[in-house]
Amino acid sequence: MTSDEAVGRRGDAAEAPARKRSSHHVTMREVAEAASVSVATVSLVVNNKPDARIGAETRQRVRDAIRTLGYRPNALAKNLVSGGSRFIGLVTDAIATTPFAGQIIHGAQDEAWKHGYVLLIANIENNEDAEREAISMMLEHQVRGVLYSTWYHRAADVPAPLRETDVVLVNCYSPAADVRAVVPAEAQGGRTATELLLREGHRRIAIINTTTPSPAHDGRLRGYREALEAAGIEYDPALVFDAQPDQEGGYAVVEKVLAQSPTGVFCHNDRVAMGLYDGLRERGISVPRDLAVVGFDNQEVIAAHLRPPLTTVALPHYELGAAGVRVLLGVGEAPGAGRLEIECPAVVRSSVGPAL
């Protein structure tokens, strides 16, 4: 090897790191960090959103960071400027690992496909760092909007970055009531469950509610009372029982329930009904011959396999996900703000018979 060849090879080696550095794709997040702003702010500046409330100094700081770092929007981002994004984000707490609530994903995914969109899903398992990263990446991809969902119906604080994009809450709601939300119609579900018993002639109907304050606790009890009132039956607090919302809770209140001699029982959920079944079986009490039972949720792994199979009211998880996408896209039902309630349908099986 000649000295010139050696120098040439050393020169090539010296230039390699520089070429490697120049091939690095600068992300929107790196621009955000350099400019000390959010990814959403960078996105608004890059896409030159005229109605974005961003000060001139901040815009300039973002532009300087873009120029310094050599950021170039990729083809996806260029499409998004013209409204061409075909992604919808879905950020969840634990619904992907909760089989019956996982239908929210299924419904949202099917509805997104119908309208030419792909769902980007992040199951964050109550991890704030994961949530922040997931939202940041979705905003980098310029999603059309984000569905923010929880596995049970509750109030939820909307993460601050989502305030800078279209967001719809699914199976949860904002206490401030300033964000669109799609939730189960809990009171309607409570009425439906009670009416299943009333139609079979039951007049003395107990309710085993949960001890946990929640929209489900309040709404299902309200529906129960409304159904009794509509049937001309006076509300009796002695027929209202609170229990832990699980199998053990239903089992624990069996004696108290039987002491009031109801002919039918509306259980807060299917797990409570399963515990009630266990206690009744131990006492030789037959469902539905001696006592009619209605559950709530339609957790099929429970309700369909109890003996007898449990009549219940379904939480409409699939439709919650699908409706969330429709609201986000402005297709069909689309509240300007506040909550859209989705009906909870009856699922009739074999646990309700006529009152004796």
Side-chain angles (χ1 to χ4, degrees):
M1 180 190 305
T2 67
S3 59
D4 288 343
E5 288 174 330
V7 170
R9 292 195 178 186
R10 285 196 298 272
D12 289 344
E15 290 173 5
R19 283 198 298 267
K20 186 176 181 179
R21 283 194 300 270
S22 66
S23 67
H24 170 66
H25 175 67
V26 178
T27 67
M28 198 176 286
R29 189 181 311 172
E30 289 172 315
V31 174
E33 291 172 354
S36 299
V37 298
S38 69
V39 171
T41 298
V42 175
S43 171
L44 292 170
V45 173
V46 168
N47 293 328
N48 198 28
K49 296 290 186 181
D51 55 344
R53 293 194 292 258
I54 302 174
E57 180 184 350
T58 301
R59 284 183 183 274
Q60 189 57 51
R61 197 162 69 246
V62 171
R63 292 189 183 111
D64 289 345
I66 288 172
R67 184 173 58 255
T68 300
L69 295 175
Y71 171 75
R72 291 182 179 82
N74 59 23
L76 171 64
K78 290 177 182 178
N79 287 336
L80 302 166
V81 175
S82 60
S85 170
R86 310 315 293 174
F87 291 109
I88 292 173
L90 173 59
V91 178
T92 80
D93 54 2
I95 67 175
T97 53
T98 307
F100 72 105
Q103 284 294 309
I104 290 175
I105 295 175
H106 192 185
Q109 188 168 261
D110 285 354
E111 193 67 26
W113 273 113
K114 286 181 186 178
H115 300 285
Y117 288 84
V118 174
L119 206 62
L120 301 179
I121 304 167
N123 193 65
I124 50 93
E125 297 286 350
N126 297 314
N127 182 320
E128 291 185 3
D129 291 337
E131 179 180 84
R132 185 168 52 253
E133 287 294 308
I135 292 172
S136 178
M137 285 187 283
M138 287 178 180
L139 293 176
E140 276 192 47
H141 281 79
Q142 288 290 279
V143 291
R144 167 62 180 79
V146 174
L147 305 181
Y148 187 82
S149 182
T150 56
W151 76 270
Y152 71 94
H153 184 188
R154 63 178 176 84
D157 293 325
V158 182
L162 289 183
R163 296 285 185 169
E164 300 183 55
T165 188
D166 287 340
V167 60
V168 174
L169 304 181
V170 177
N171 207 33
C172 56
Y173 64 93
S174 168
D178 61 344
V179 180
R180 294 173 297 173
V182 180
V183 297
E186 302 283 7
Q188 169 269 314
R191 285 195 303 274
T192 296
T194 309
E195 288 165 355
L196 288 167
L197 294 162
L198 290 167
R199 288 170 191 161
E200 292 295 327
H202 295 277
R203 307 285 290 177
R204 190 162 179 78
I205 301 171
I207 178 172
I208 304 176
N209 209 351
T210 177
T211 55
T212 307
S214 64
H217 171 282
D218 298 343
R220 295 173 197 181
L221 179 60
R222 184 168 74 252
Y224 164 81
R225 297 188 64 166
E226 290 172 354
L228 293 180
E229 182 180 359
I233 300 173
E234 185 176 353
Y235 171 73
D236 184 354
L239 290 171
V240 179
F241 304 90
D242 286 341
Q244 292 296 319
D246 53 28
Q247 183 176 4
E248 289 74 17
Y251 182 84
V253 296
V254 172
E255 284 293 345
K256 293 179 181 179
V257 171
L258 294 176
Q260 295 299 321
S261 302
T263 63
V265 181
F266 163 30
C267 297
H268 175 77
N269 63 30
D270 298 342
R271 289 174 295 156
V272 169
M274 180 165 58
L276 179 66
Y277 266 47
D278 291 341
L280 295 176
R281 187 180 304 108
E282 288 179 359
R283 292 162 176 80
I285 296 172
S286 172
V287 176
R289 185 190 66 204
D290 302 322
L291 188 67
V293 180
V294 174
F296 206 107
D297 289 357
N298 193 35
Q299 293 189 38
E300 289 197 16
V301 69
I302 296 173
H305 299 287
L306 288 175
R307 291 293 177 265
L310 179 66
T311 290
T312 188
V313 173
L315 278 174
H317 287 113
Y318 181 93
E319 183 57 25
L320 286 171
V325 171
R326 291 195 295 270
V327 169
L328 182 68
L329 298 178
V331 178
E333 65 270 64
R339 306 176 207 178
L340 172 67
E341 293 193 343
I342 304 299
E343 180 180 352
C344 300
V347 180
V348 178
R349 295 192 178 95
S350 309
S351 63
V352 176
L356 299 179

